Amino acid sequence: TAGRWALTVVTAAGVGGLSVAFLVPPGHVAELLKGVWALPLVVALFAMGKLRIRAADQRVARQNRLSEALTAIGDAASVTTDRAAILRLAETTAREQVGDDTLIGSIRPGPHGPLCATFDSATELPRDNLAKGFLTDVCRIVSVAAERLRLAENLRDEALTDPLTRLPNRRALELHMEQAFVRVGQQGTCLGLLYCDVDDFKHENDTHGHAWGDELLLRITDHLREILSEDTFVARFGGDDFVVVIEDAGSRDELVELARAIRAGPGLQGADRIPPLLSVGVACREPGGGADPDQLLREADAAMLEGRRSGVGVVVFDDALRAQMVAEQNLGREIDAALVGEEFELHYQPIVDTKTLDIVGVEALIRWPHPDGMRMPAQWIPFAEKTGLIVPIGRWVVVAARACVERLGLPIAVNVAARQLAEPRFIEHLREDWGDTSWHLLTLEITESDLLEDLSDVIDSLTAVRALGARISIDDFGTGYSSFSRLAALPVDVLKIDQAFVRDLERPGGVAIVRAIVALAQAYGLDIVAEGVERIEQLETLTELGVPNLQGYLLGRPSVYVPQRVELPFASSSHRAGATRQGRDQAAEQRDQAAEQRDQVSEQRDQAGTQRDQESEQRDEAAEQ
Ligand code: C2E
Ligand code: CA
Ligand code: CA
């Protein structure tokens, strides 16, 4: 370098000067040369040292600047969610620090998958190690940040996408609705919502398997995509529910037309099964309308349910439905309040032994006294089942039934809805509410139609109930069209013949049906109760047919007063075919005790009579004397 050359020259000059000092004759000149020959060297070394220290200082300062720049890029990368913004910042900083305005950064997938940032320059300027190291570090920071953002975006997309249909999911729908409400608010347009639900999807899924269920949902997704314009938002709301959001809904008629096209379903192409229709509920939010996203969704849902219930398929939410919705909301609130205020009552209807007419048990029937009159179960139990309110109601019923058993010691039958049995904590709650003992006095009645609905969850619960020692009765038997083989597979103990069959006994063929049901029950070793017995002729026919237990207005109406066991003089234990063995034994024992008591009482009466006789004899004797 120039410095080295200068040093060599100065050293050579010094050594030359010294040599000259020895060559010239001794004198002043020689002395002077010997004295100063090293001076240029010292000065040169000093100057060089100074220069080196300054260069080192500059290097440290540059290093500090570069590391500060890296920290700034790193900080920005950790807070921003915008990949392009990080790249832009890194590019400007790198240009500044490296002094190359042609630097251009880019982010691409690297050879191993994760994203990779690179900086390319148009100039071929040589770079020192500091600049090269700096650019490598910048690339690394930007690559890591870009990859992190990509993963986060993927996660968010996954969280907002339905994995099967790849449609936006429920959460995405909620977010979209919030934004859509703001947009239509600003534009003063009408927002339309189509709530679509596949008819009989559960049945399709259960009978043809989940693979077909998935296939069906994919076909419906394609069907919706075909009908709707590309920018129309459609989400899978969950299960077999799809929701379409239309932001510039022209008119109701247009929406209805669209809903009708959706209702037709995906058609037959390539399928070996007929895909079901869809029920579609239409709800509209007019400009300035009051509904919020949640409310609008509920309105469209209510319209869809009405469409399915009525079989019409496409229904627009209107004032009548609004009134019905308000009434249901009120009913829900009233049931809540009735639960808190313990307003419900249990009424008990006797179940009797056909031959002896002894009461062998009771059925607990819920009642809701109200200032406007008694609210019968048919008016509100279906609603409670639909909304899940039946779960807390059912728990209250079990507690009240248990209290009745404590008072009376009679077997009790409690009605249970499938919705209750399907609750994951049903058995846990039942044990909590009933207690640890007397399970043999409890029968749970499940309607046959409920048993057909959601079999898997329900069967597990029924098996667990029987393991506890309680019995299961199929209520309203004969109305659900159960096949015999299906019946055999169910964990049940009692068949309760539906009232309709008892009513029809006098009609042609009526007796034959009940006879067939009795034979069926006997073949499977099941107990039988016939309900709805209102007339003596029905009682006689049922006795002849060998139905062991009866229930109905003829034998006792449901009442708050628990019926008392009546001891009839001709009662014999062999007639009590309907009671459980345990119940029978207990009943027989109680009867024996009662008979013993009666004997004791009559003995005491006899003794008292003898005493009285003796006393009156004594009195007579005294009088005579
Ligand atoms: P269910 O279990 O079939 O109950 C028998 C219904 O028939 C009762 O009506 C009863 O009062 C009525 N009944 C009894 N004997 C006769 C008769 O001789 N003739 C006629 N015409 N009817 C008779 P209720 O009490 O109105 O109950 C109706 C339904 O409500 C019940 O039908 C049951 O499915 C449901 N339910 C009642 N209580 C409860 C409960 O605590 N929980 C649940 N989940 N459902 C209940
Ligand atoms: Ca019942
Ligand atoms: Ca019934």
Side-chain angles (χ1 to χ4, degrees):
T1 62
R4 278 196 193 142
W5 278 114
L7 201 60
T8 312
V9 171
V10 171
T11 309
V15 171
L18 190 60
S19 311
V20 173
F22 283 105
L23 290 178
V24 295
H28 292 301
V29 176
E31 285 305 310
L32 187 70
L33 281 173
K34 279 181 194 168
V36 302
W37 73 271
L39 204 60
L41 193 61
V42 170
V43 170
L45 280 175
F46 181 76
M48 227 174 104
K50 261 299 224 204
L51 282 174
R52 289 217 162 171
I53 286 170
R54 210 171 73 196
D57 278 351
Q58 278 172 351
R59 194 181 160 82
V60 167
R62 185 158 163 240
Q63 255 171 349
N64 284 345
R65 268 202 316 279
L66 292 179
S67 77
E68 270 166 24
L70 280 179
T71 312
I73 298 174
D75 285 351
S78 66
V79 291
T80 183
T81 51
D82 182 355
R83 216 155 40 195
I86 300 177
L87 189 64
R88 269 197 311 277
L89 175 73
E91 205 176 66
T92 346
T93 315
R95 282 180 183 177
E96 237 170 61
Q97 297 298 335
V98 178
D100 180 354
D101 280 345
T102 65
L103 269 181
I104 291 175
S106 57
I107 300 174
R108 293 186 208 95
H112 307 297
L115 289 180
C116 202
T118 49
F119 284 89
D120 300 310
S121 165
T123 58
E124 297 291 313
L125 282 178
R127 287 193 192 112
D128 63 358
N129 287 341
L130 266 186
K132 282 184 196 158
F134 172 75
L135 281 180
T136 313
D137 286 347
V138 171
C139 285
R140 203 171 290 146
I141 291 174
V142 176
S143 303
V144 169
E147 182 59 17
R148 179 178 58 78
L149 286 176
R150 188 179 68 135
L151 289 176
E153 277 162 19
N154 284 355
L155 276 180
R156 203 183 51 219
D157 285 351
E158 262 336 283
L160 294 176
T161 307
D162 169 53
L164 175 69
T165 59
R166 304 307 300 167
L167 287 176
N169 62 12
R170 184 193 198 115
R171 177 80 196 113
L173 174 72
E174 284 164 1
L175 293 173
H176 181 85
M177 291 265 285
E178 270 170 33
Q179 293 159 2
F181 262 66
V182 174
R183 278 193 294 270
V184 294
Q186 287 164 348
Q187 292 158 9
T189 49
C190 183
L191 184 77
L193 216 62
L194 307 182
Y195 197 114
C196 319
D197 179 281
V198 187
D199 289 355
D200 294 327
F201 180 74
K202 212 183 130 34
H203 176 75
E204 289 285 321
N205 219 7
D206 287 350
T207 45
H208 303 304
H210 287 253
W212 167 244
D214 286 356
E215 167 73 22
L216 197 56
L217 292 173
L218 288 173
R219 278 168 189 262
I220 287 164
T221 307
D222 290 344
H223 168 64
L224 289 170
R225 280 263 154 261
E226 265 167 38
I227 291 177
L228 301 165
S229 63
E230 211 167 290
D231 56 345
T232 303
F233 185 92
V234 51
R236 182 177 174 205
F237 193 58
D240 58 333
D241 296 359
F242 295 82
V243 174
V244 181
V245 184
I246 295 164
E247 285 190 33
D248 50 353
S251 68
R252 261 160 217 255
D253 291 346
E254 258 175 53
L255 288 175
V256 170
E257 204 176 304
L258 207 55
R260 292 227 170 91
I262 292 176
R263 169 155 177 81
L268 272 169
Q269 297 126 341
D272 50 357
R273 293 195 188 91
I274 303 170
L277 300 172
L278 284 91
S279 293
V280 187
V282 181
C284 266
R285 183 189 177 272
E286 307 290 349
D292 60 20
D294 206 35
Q295 170 81 12
L296 195 66
L297 207 55
R298 266 179 297 161
E299 291 179 358
D301 185 21
M304 181 279 291
L305 288 174
E306 181 58 23
R308 197 168 51 194
R309 193 197 59 74
S310 62
V312 177
V314 174
V315 165
V316 181
F317 188 82
D318 58 8
D319 287 344
L321 275 176
R322 180 166 291 116
Q324 186 187 322
M325 207 164 153
V326 170
E328 288 199 340
Q329 280 165 354
N330 289 342
L331 182 58
R333 272 196 290 273
E334 279 181 291
I335 292 181
D336 274 337
L339 271 168
V340 174
E342 305 219 355
E343 288 173 29
F344 295 115
E345 272 177 8
L346 274 195
H347 284 201
Y348 307 93
Q349 186 175 28
I351 300 172
V352 305
D353 181 301
T354 309
K355 290 185 181 160
T356 64
L357 300 188
D358 270 3
I359 293 166
V360 292
V362 290
E363 176 175 3
L365 293 160
I366 196 162
R367 294 289 179 269
W368 185 7
H370 196 266
D372 310 339
M374 187 68 84
R375 289 182 165 177
M376 297 304 277
Q379 293 170 271
W380 51 277
I381 287 273
F383 170 77
E385 286 181 14
K386 190 173 83 181
T387 52
L389 279 167
I390 194 68
V391 174
I393 294 173
R395 291 194 67 181
W396 176 86
V397 170
V398 171
V399 172
R402 172 68 206 218
C404 166
V405 164
E406 289 299 316
R407 268 184 284 139
L408 203 74
L410 265 181
I412 197 162
V414 169
N415 292 287
V416 179
R419 177 78 191 242
Q420 293 169 261
L421 289 166
E423 273 293 296
R425 296 176 68 194
F426 174 73
I427 294 294
E428 187 190 324
H429 287 158
L430 183 67
R431 296 178 66 167
E432 223 170 88
D433 301 333
W434 181 263
D436 297 329
T437 56
S438 309
W439 285 102
H440 64 283
L441 296 179
L442 176 66
T443 300
L444 297 189
E445 294 193 358
I446 295 105
T447 60
E448 191 187 2
S449 48
D450 265 8
L451 274 174
L452 292 178
E453 277 228 336
D454 218 333
L455 222 49
S456 49
D457 292 349
V458 171
I459 295 241
D460 290 349
S461 292
L462 294 186
T463 312
V465 168
R466 285 177 102 216
L468 289 169
R471 302 197 312 160
I472 303 294
S473 174
I474 307 188
D475 206 350
D476 302 346
F477 182 77
T479 55
Y481 313 105
S482 297
S483 71
F484 284 13
S485 59
R486 195 145 185 202
L487 184 74
L490 294 177
V492 296
D493 307 273
V494 187
L495 283 194
K496 225 170 161 183
I497 304 175
D498 190 62
Q499 314 192 353
F501 297 104
V502 175
R503 258 199 311 275
D504 285 353
L505 274 177
E506 281 126 78
R507 294 205 184 165
V511 173
I513 292 181
V514 176
R515 185 175 286 126
I517 295 178
V518 173
L520 170 72
Q522 283 167 349
Y524 285 107
L526 303 176
D527 250 335
I528 313 172
V529 179
E531 59 180 337
V533 183
E534 293 180 348
R535 294 167 350 96
I536 196 84
E537 294 80 11
Q538 293 168 339
L539 181 139
E540 280 167 3
T541 313
L542 291 165
T543 311
E544 276 164 29
L545 288 171
V547 174
N549 298 297
L550 306 175
Q551 183 183 347
Y553 292 167
L554 178 70
L555 306 142
R557 286 182 177 256
S559 151
V560 246
Y561 302 106
V562 180
Q564 297 299 309
R565 186 187 293 278
V566 184
E567 291 300 337
L568 295 169
F570 54 83
S572 106
S573 65
S574 63
H575 286 138
R576 299 173 169 273
T580 57
R581 184 177 297 282
Q582 220 161 348
R584 273 204 303 268
D585 292 347
Q586 279 186 353
E589 221 176 88
Q590 282 176 358
R591 242 194 343 273
D592 290 347
Q593 282 175 0
E596 237 169 64
Q597 274 178 354
R598 264 200 312 273
D599 291 348
Q600 282 176 0
V601 171
S602 65
E603 230 171 69
Q604 282 170 357
R605 254 204 317 267
D606 289 350
Q607 281 175 1
T610 331
Q611 245 181 2
R612 255 198 322 272
D613 290 348
Q614 283 174 355
E615 276 170 15
S616 67
E617 247 171 52
Q618 281 170 359
R619 261 200 310 274
D620 290 347
E621 274 175 16
E624 257 174 50
Q625 277 175 355

